[in-house]
Amino acid sequence: MSGMSRRGTVPPFIVMDVVRAATDREAQGLPVWHMEVGQPSLGVPKGVTESLKGVLDSDALGYTVALGLPELRRRIAAHYQRTQGVEIDPQRVVVTTGSSTGFILAFAACFEVGARVGLAQPGYPAYPSILRSLGIEPVSIPVGPDSRYQPTVEVLERFGQKLDGLIVASPSNPTGTIMAPEELQRLTAYCDANGIRLISDEIYHGIAFGQQAATAARFTDQAVLINSFSKYFCMTGWRLGWLVVPEPMVRGVECLAQNLFISAPALSQHAGIHVFDHIDELEERVAAYGRSRAMLLEELPKAGFSRFAPPDGAFYLYADVADRTNDSLEFCRRMLAETGVAATPGVDFDPLGGSHFVRFSFARDEASLREAVEQLKGWS
Ligand SMILES: Cc1ncc(COP(=O)(O)O)c(C=O)c1O
């Protein structure tokens, strides 16, 4: 009766271990330039916290209905109309505690125990861990620069294994690549025709440096969309996200949400309603990420990091460091200890190929990113 169950035993989220090492270094009074964490350094727009003062005074902030505050669900649906020109019935929107609980709901709702769900490798490390903890089998699909790190129809056909589901993230973490709309359309058609439930992680939508990523909802009503207030909306710690589920699944997901989570935090849901009134400020932040990206594209090669595809979106740059190491974990540990720059080893996203990749996050202000690159310039 001692110890963890097999399905409950998942690997650590390495980036969080890097965060701990960086925090220890700061506690010793040493400087750290944070390029490891995938979160905006600026919090929610000030106007949102101002608006919440009234809510704190007038609302008991109890549980909400499991699917989320109706006004929030309406505003989320309206966001699709404004940004993507897509009509989404607010009844299909399920408010969650960050996208992380959205995954639990979506996977439990869509897949039987033992189902096989494909995911791109490199990819977000929590996907396989959450799947495994639910008794679902993650199936890694190797992707590389030829498909711009995305599991396209060609990649799936070449891969050739039977799948019950597929997770796609566009823009992707860690590479920042976006799947072109036509490519996503072909993928949704392929999934629908082959009985593969598509889970479209759209958490980095809104953060793009050219063409915006398309939502899978433009092409199918069979996909489950996952999204969050963490990235574009700068609300990581508020733990708020949402799903858009196919209409026939709404009631089932509602029952799961009632039982698993009761509701997402009420105050955060009110913040979510208000943040839609501050889109201009959020757009300015995306423009700032764009300036940081341009600076890094120019300066990182001067620091010996030149092998990367310029990211289309999100705020990550995935650099191939094969010319410098074959042990990205040790490389990042040494980089933090010797320069104070914290970055995430590629093995977090790809246990094999990631041994010679490093992910830099540029979700911070440009000045501190410039300082970070300067530290790296003299280091080898
Ligand atoms: C691709 C991707 N999906 C989901 C998440 C989870 O975010 P949250 O639970 O804050 O919505 C992250 C966090 O970094 C991510 O990178």
Side-chain angles (χ1 to χ4, degrees):
M1 283 277 284
S2 66
M4 294 284 294
S5 69
R6 235 178 317 137
R7 78 195 156 103
T9 306
V10 297
F13 205 162
I14 294 172
V15 66
M16 299 317 286
D17 288 349
V18 179
V19 172
R20 184 152 36 79
T23 313
D24 287 350
R25 194 180 144 89
E26 278 169 330
Q28 293 165 33
L30 296 167
V32 173
W33 288 271
H34 289 278
M35 296 184 77
E36 79 285 34
V37 269
Q39 69 174 345
S41 55
L42 291 176
V44 73
K46 269 270 167 292
V48 174
T49 39
E50 283 302 312
S51 313
L52 288 179
K53 288 180 183 155
V55 176
L56 280 166
D57 288 339
S58 64
D59 195 304
L61 295 172
Y63 298 132
T64 71
V65 287
L67 292 173
L69 292 173
E71 175 61 9
L72 178 57
R73 296 168 73 203
R74 268 196 297 278
R75 298 224 50 180
I76 291 170
H79 183 65
Y80 283 93
Q81 181 62 263
R82 197 180 60 77
T83 58
Q84 299 267 347
V86 175
E87 189 86 41
I88 297 279
D89 181 350
Q91 299 304 321
R92 292 177 55 203
V93 176
V94 180
V95 176
T96 59
T97 305
S99 68
S100 299
T101 60
F103 289 122
I104 298 171
L105 284 176
F107 296 163
C110 292
F111 305 118
E112 302 295 347
V113 167
R116 291 164 49 81
V117 176
L119 33 93
Q121 189 167 309
Y124 180 57
Y127 301 142
S129 297
I130 300 172
L131 288 166
R132 214 168 273 129
S133 71
L134 292 170
I136 301 163
E137 188 185 338
V139 181
S140 295
I141 304 171
V143 292
D146 55 325
S147 71
R148 308 196 59 263
Y149 292 96
Q150 292 287 353
T152 57
V153 171
E154 284 71 27
V155 168
L156 292 179
E157 281 179 338
R158 213 181 319 132
F159 186 65
Q161 295 190 23
K162 167 106 188 66
L163 298 173
D164 301 296
L166 176 72
I167 303 173
V168 65
S170 167
S172 129
N173 177 6
T175 60
T177 57
I178 288 179
M179 199 180 262
E182 318 76 65
E183 199 70 71
L184 183 62
Q185 183 168 24
R186 289 183 62 225
L187 185 70
T188 55
Y190 178 88
C191 288
D192 288 352
N194 289 284
I196 299 171
R197 176 75 71 184
L198 182 68
I199 309 285
S200 181
D201 183 350
E202 304 185 347
I203 185 168
Y204 293 102
H205 274 209
I207 307 175
F209 310 111
Q211 190 180 29
Q212 291 286 342
T215 171
R218 269 175 60 184
F219 310 118
T220 179
D221 53 12
Q222 296 301 308
V224 172
L225 316 184
I226 309 247
N227 213 319
S228 173
F229 286 86
S230 289
K231 311 292 176 171
Y232 174 76
F233 297 94
C234 303
M235 292 173 59
T236 43
W238 296 78
R239 309 308 303 129
L240 193 67
W242 75 86
L243 303 175
V244 176
V245 300
E247 194 277 325
M249 292 176 64
V250 172
R251 177 63 183 151
V253 172
E254 179 179 21
C255 295
L256 273 172
Q258 289 167 341
N259 282 277
L260 291 180
F261 306 116
I262 303 189
S263 72
L267 185 62
S268 301
Q269 293 192 55
H270 284 284
I273 293 171
H274 288 292
V275 81
F276 287 111
D277 295 329
H278 299 273
I279 295 297
D280 289 350
E281 199 171 330
L282 298 174
E283 286 297 321
E284 281 167 24
R285 295 179 183 188
V286 175
Y289 304 144
R291 288 192 293 276
S292 297
R293 169 187 176 274
M295 183 276 290
L296 290 176
L297 294 188
E298 186 151 332
E299 297 299 321
L300 270 179
K302 297 179 193 162
F305 298 91
S306 54
R307 293 150 49 129
F308 52 81
D312 306 320
F315 31 58
Y316 305 118
L317 202 147
Y318 198 52
D320 184 341
V321 289
D323 53 339
R324 301 177 69 163
T325 186
N326 204 17
D327 182 351
S328 56
L329 202 57
E330 170 59 14
F331 184 78
C332 288
R333 195 201 55 72
R334 201 164 60 78
M335 185 160 86
L336 177 63
E338 295 174 8
T339 71
V341 177
T344 308
V347 284
D348 214 6
F349 313 98
D350 179 353
L352 297 173
S355 59
H356 58 93
F357 279 89
V358 170
R359 188 197 73 176
F360 292 103
S361 166
F362 52 92
R364 304 187 74 78
D365 63 290
E366 190 186 336
S368 76
L369 293 170
R370 240 178 224 288
E371 281 177 23
V373 184
E374 288 311 311
Q375 305 307 310
L376 293 177
K377 279 186 185 165
W379 180 72
S380 58

